[in-house]
Amino acid sequence: MIVEQIQLVDFRNYTSATFDLMPGVTAIVGRNAQGKTNVAEAMAFLATLDSFRRSPTAALVREGAEFATIRAAVRHADGREVSIEVQIQRQGRVNVQVNRQRLARTRDLLGVLRVTVFSPDDLELVKGAPGERRHLLDETLASLALKNDARRRELDRIVKQRNTLLRQAAGRLTDEVAFSLDVWDQKFAVVGDQIGHERATLVAGMQPVVEEAYQQLAGAPTAVSLVYEPPWRRSGLAVALAAARTDDVRRGASTVGPHRDDLEMHLGALPARTHASQGEMRCLALSLRLAAHRVISQTTGMTPLLVLDDVLSELDAERCEALLNHLPGGQVVITTAGNLPPVAHPDRVLRIEAGSMVASVATEDGDR
Ligand SMILES: Nc1ncnc2c1ncn2[C@@H]1O[C@H](COP(=O)(O)OP(=O)(O)OP(=O)(O)O)[C@@H](O)[C@H]1O
Ligand SMILES: [Mg+2]
């Protein structure tokens, strides 16, 4: 899959701009605050219908405009051309057209185009709360199959409703509350066990790939381990929910289940979240993204567009070089505010200033 063109209208700081991307490496350069991350965000939005910055949709619409539009021209490996148009309203409503046909279910777009983004915020994958790591797993699973996305949404819905019930119970486990909980927990257990299984399978598949990517980037034979072993999975969610019921009612919240899971990561023998250096965390976060990218490519047969937003400024010279030398095959967009290192070899350099493209330079041999 190749994204040939991206067009932005009233998206963030862009009034109207067109980006022609190369099948290989396209560099987008510009000083701070010119719109580099905004393009990366637009590309990712097409693949997830969400802002990777977790911004509310209103923030995506240019100040003063009513709605934002992102258009993409995509060519699939079999030669099929697909045009995508996503319209984002301030209030959050999103309309999607594929080949000028309105999609009845917006989320059906998720399988049409795949994008992996790495941004400096990804440090949170290592350093941040468990939710960041769950998000990585669930987003990757959604990229692998639409049913995973539907299942995760179903889980959110169940947990929300169950929590409302628990709050209403005000700490008292009456027969009526127990009856309602029985109904919810049956659904919760089915969906929860499936999600636990999918996450565990994904983590097992990612583990060796993360380790390989990390070792290539760090240039050291560091062992990397990923541990996804939530205690509730030992007995299955139904048993764990029954055991936690009194506690759940007392606290007025669902204390057990996939919505509370974490993914532990170790570098050598040490837990990365509490022990790794900044540079090690960056490398690990990048390795996690690259691993997800490879697993998606291998499983779906479609290599996502890889967007590296401002990664080069975050890594030391050796690690930059290692990253650029080991870029996965497929289409890559690299944004940077600084100079591109000679090993970057972009096929095209796009220069942006204040939400406008001011230069587009095709580089025949990657020498700029
Ligand atoms: N909804 C919006 N309407 C208008 N301008 C916006 C909107 N959202 C963000 N901006 C502006 O877009 C500009 C560019 O943001 P962006 O994050 O893309 O910069 P960048 O090129 O990635 O910079 P840096 O190198 O600092 O990361 C910012 O100055 C921001 O104020
Ligand atoms: Mg930026």
Side-chain angles (χ1 to χ4, degrees):
M1 177 211 79
I2 302 293
V3 180
E4 296 180 320
Q5 192 180 72
I6 294 276
Q7 234 179 15
L8 305 181
V9 179
D10 292 333
F11 183 89
R12 292 283 195 183
N13 68 331
Y14 291 93
T15 307
S16 175
T18 303
F19 298 82
D20 289 305
L21 306 182
M22 299 297 272
V25 179
T26 305
I28 299 179
V29 301
R31 288 178 296 111
N32 291 139
Q34 305 306 306
K36 300 181 299 297
T37 300
N38 293 346
V39 197
E41 186 181 37
M43 293 173 186
F45 193 92
L46 294 172
T48 60
L49 292 167
D50 206 354
S51 155
F52 72 75
R53 299 171 164 181
R54 315 273 173 89
S55 298
T57 31
L60 305 180
V61 181
R62 189 175 61 81
E63 227 19 66
E66 272 311 299
F67 57 86
T69 309
I70 311 172
R71 292 194 191 94
V74 177
R75 187 164 43 80
H76 283 277
D78 58 8
R80 233 172 356 117
E81 299 269 352
V82 180
S83 72
I84 299 171
E85 179 172 312
V86 172
Q87 206 187 70
I88 307 163
Q89 312 275 349
R90 265 189 188 283
Q91 309 79 1
R93 201 181 159 72
V94 176
N95 293 322
V96 178
Q97 286 192 5
V98 174
N99 293 334
R100 301 184 186 280
Q101 298 283 323
R102 170 98 176 257
L103 285 191
R105 283 183 312 178
T106 306
R107 299 196 72 79
D108 284 349
L109 178 65
L110 301 190
V112 178
L113 185 149
R114 293 185 169 87
V115 180
T116 305
V117 182
F118 181 82
S119 83
D121 290 348
D122 278 348
L123 200 55
E124 291 295 309
L125 287 175
V126 182
K127 216 177 171 173
E132 304 286 338
R133 291 175 286 283
R134 287 197 298 273
H135 191 259
L136 169 77
L137 296 180
D138 292 344
E139 191 181 70
T140 307
L141 287 169
S143 250
L144 291 175
L146 270 180
K147 70 171 189 304
N148 291 328
D149 178 65
R151 207 178 266 152
R152 228 257 6 268
R153 293 166 148 267
E154 172 71 359
L155 177 86
D156 290 351
R157 193 182 66 85
I158 293 171
V159 171
K160 203 167 152 200
Q161 307 245 28
R162 192 176 185 272
N163 285 346
T164 304
L165 173 67
L166 288 166
R167 271 196 308 278
Q168 284 166 352
R172 294 205 321 276
L173 183 54
T174 59
D175 286 349
E176 200 186 337
V177 169
F179 178 77
S180 298
L181 277 175
D182 284 344
V183 176
W184 281 114
D185 288 4
Q186 222 171 3
K187 298 183 198 177
F188 192 11
V190 172
V191 178
D193 283 336
Q194 285 169 338
I195 289 177
H197 174 75
E198 294 298 335
R199 285 182 183 167
T201 309
L202 173 64
V203 170
M206 279 174 69
Q207 152 83 44
V209 196
V210 174
E211 186 172 72
E212 190 194 336
Y214 187 89
Q215 294 182 349
Q216 279 174 348
L217 281 175
T222 313
V224 182
S225 62
L226 306 183
V227 184
Y228 172 72
E229 285 173 358
W232 63 264
R233 286 204 71 223
R234 280 181 228 137
S235 58
L237 190 53
V239 174
L241 286 173
R245 181 168 286 192
T246 320
D247 207 30
D248 280 3
V249 171
R250 193 168 49 81
R251 296 189 194 204
S254 302
T255 59
V256 168
H259 60 296
R260 293 282 178 104
D261 287 353
D262 198 0
L263 170 69
E264 286 164 40
M265 296 181 285
H266 289 76
L267 292 179
L270 302 173
R273 197 173 64 80
T274 46
H275 288 64
S277 77
Q278 288 278 108
E280 285 172 330
M281 286 190 188
R282 289 224 162 83
C283 251
L284 182 54
L286 188 48
S287 308
L288 286 166
R289 284 281 179 222
L290 291 173
H293 182 80
R294 291 204 173 118
V295 168
I296 292 167
S297 308
Q298 280 159 10
T299 313
T300 64
M302 187 201 273
T303 306
L305 166 65
L306 177 62
V307 182
L308 300 171
D309 182 34
D310 212 1
V311 182
L312 303 177
S313 62
E314 304 267 321
L315 300 172
D316 66 27
E318 283 76 30
R319 286 172 188 199
C320 273
E321 205 170 315
L323 170 65
L324 295 168
N325 283 332
H326 290 106
L327 282 179
Q331 194 178 19
V332 181
V333 171
I334 301 178
T335 80
T336 182
N339 290 325
L340 281 169
V343 285
H345 295 301
D347 300 296
R348 178 173 282 163
V349 180
L350 307 176
R351 177 165 292 279
I352 53 172
E353 264 176 42
S356 291
M357 173 113 57
V358 292
S360 165
V361 183
T363 47
E364 225 166 72
D365 56 3
D367 239 19
R368 40 186 311 270

